[in-house]
Amino acid sequence: MSTGEPGQPRTDRSPWNWLLVLPIVLPLLTFLFNADEPRLFGFPLFYWLQLAFIGVGVVSTTIVYRMTK
């Protein structure tokens, strides 16, 4: 694969790629959501925090894509 410049190999070694570890590790930290309170619109912490983890994944993937493009 090339970067568009002749003779330059493509490298996927960017420090921005480490940001992709965040959406993998964050949901594994069970102490973050091991509670019933606080509630948001009547939903316990676990449910709305899982939706927040999806948002973290989308945002971090978008940042890595934009910075390594």
Side-chain angles (χ1 to χ4, degrees), residues 18-33:
W18 284 103
L19 191 59
L20 295 174
V21 173
L22 187 65
I24 296 171
V25 173
L26 200 58
L28 296 176
L29 303 174
T30 56
F31 64 87
L32 292 176
F33 51 86

Side-chain angles (χ1 to χ4, degrees), residues 22-61:
L22 187 65
I24 296 171
V25 173
L26 200 58
L28 296 176
L29 303 174
T30 56
F31 64 87
L32 292 176
F33 51 86
N34 190 17
D36 187 42
E37 300 289 331
R39 291 180 171 259
L40 185 66
F41 303 116
F43 290 103
L45 173 72
F46 175 79
Y47 294 110
W48 62 263
L49 199 56
Q50 292 296 316
L51 291 173
F53 290 155
I54 293 170
V56 168
V58 169
V59 168
S60 63
T61 303

Side-chain angles (χ1 to χ4, degrees), residues 8-20:
Q8 293 292 330
R10 178 180 170 172
T11 177
D12 290 331
R13 295 182 182 156
S14 171
W16 286 102
N17 291 340
W18 284 103
L19 191 59
L20 295 174

Side-chain angles (χ1 to χ4, degrees), residues 1-9:
M1 299 185 145
S2 67
T3 60
E5 300 173 13
Q8 293 292 330

